Amino acid sequence: MPSFDANKVAQIHQHLHSHLPSDSALRVKALETVLVQKGLANSENIDRWVEAYANDVGPMRGAQMVARSWLDADFRHRLLDDAAKAADEMGFSGPASGHLKAVENTDVQHNVVVCTLCSCYPFSILGMAPNWYKTAAYRSRVVREPRAVLDEFGVQISTDVAVHVWDSTAELRYLVIPQRPKGTDGMSVDALVKLVTRNSMIGTQRELSVGA
Ligand code: FE
């Protein structure tokens, strides 16, 4: 007769669960299945959309805006004045950049972006939001203890630099303009674009590195 070991069963159960997709991934898959079955969407288009936002839009569009702002003072003023208009000017307007605000890092201020309510994100210019951006831990902690959270991203902000946390909404999303790294004089806009990372435009990175 087979023996029953409750601990062993619990271990197997845990092991099986650790290989299952997350609840949200399962919900998205279920929704996709229903939409496809009803003829309201097709899987190929959904894959193409995801691919485009993951690789083409984000974070390249944001990086192009940042790099241009480093080289073109007039564009920088326009970007800080009305980022949605500046995105429009570059042909990057979209459903999540209609109400966009650009905030610039300086020697005395660091900016970091969150959506405490859900996961609002300027995906028209930054592409897909990273998973950590949507977690309850990031959303709740970065407003209470931004320096500790940034430290966990490997970003140490000295006490003479103020940290400003911007809370996004569906009506207002943010783009952080990181500081131009030293040693980049004379670099082309295309070379500068490559230095700008997604996290630096969310604010969970401060220093950009120049070349490998
Ligand atoms: Fe949100």
Side-chain angles (χ1 to χ4, degrees):
M1 185 163 172
S3 63
F4 178 81
D5 178 338
N7 284 336
K8 187 84 187 155
V9 171
Q11 264 179 23
I12 292 169
H13 186 236
Q14 179 66 31
H15 182 71
L16 287 173
H17 268 275
S18 69
H19 287 78
L20 283 174
S22 65
D23 284 352
S24 52
L26 289 169
R27 277 201 295 275
V28 168
K29 195 70 206 161
L31 184 61
E32 180 182 334
T33 305
V34 172
L35 289 172
V36 169
Q37 278 173 357
K38 287 184 179 293
L40 297 169
N42 75 59
S43 293
E44 272 176 25
N45 282 348
I46 293 172
D47 288 348
R48 269 203 292 271
W49 192 90
V50 170
E51 189 75 8
Y53 273 85
N55 300 322
D56 302 335
V57 172
M60 294 310 299
R61 289 180 169 186
Q64 287 175 54
M65 292 170 75
V66 168
R68 184 170 170 196
S69 81
W70 289 340
L71 292 173
D72 179 345
D74 287 341
F75 178 75
R76 188 181 185 90
H77 286 136
R78 293 200 295 280
L79 178 60
L80 288 166
D81 185 48
D82 187 337
K85 231 188 220 172
D88 211 21
E89 179 184 326
M90 293 191 70
F92 297 159
S93 56
S97 59
H99 304 279
L100 183 68
K101 181 174 173 57
V103 289
E104 61 181 339
N105 286 349
T106 66
D107 287 343
V108 293
Q109 178 161 322
H110 181 78
N111 299 284
V112 61
V113 179
V114 64
C115 174
T116 53
L117 187 64
C118 44
S119 57
C120 298
Y121 187 75
F123 58 82
S124 300
I125 53 163
L126 293 189
M128 312 282 273
N131 280 334
W132 54 258
Y133 185 82
K134 302 174 221 169
T135 61
Y138 176 76
R139 286 158 39 212
S140 59
R141 287 185 57 221
V142 77
V143 284
R144 289 200 318 266
E145 42 177 6
R147 287 170 193 273
V149 171
L150 289 171
D151 192 62
E152 288 165 29
F153 277 91
V155 179
Q156 284 83 39
I157 306 286
S158 66
T159 48
D160 54 352
V161 176
V163 177
H164 195 125
V165 182
W166 300 88
D167 192 4
S168 314
T169 65
E171 281 78 39
L172 189 55
R173 299 161 201 238
Y174 297 91
L175 169 73
V176 175
I177 307 174
Q179 287 179 290
R180 180 174 176 171
K182 293 192 171 52
T184 57
D185 289 355
M187 278 175 78
S188 69
V189 69
D190 290 344
L192 290 169
V193 165
K194 293 193 178 90
L195 306 179
V196 185
T197 62
R198 179 197 62 197
N199 283 12
S200 72
M201 293 182 281
I202 304 174
T204 51
Q205 181 183 351
R206 182 164 169 85
E207 306 287 342
L208 296 172
S209 59
V210 184

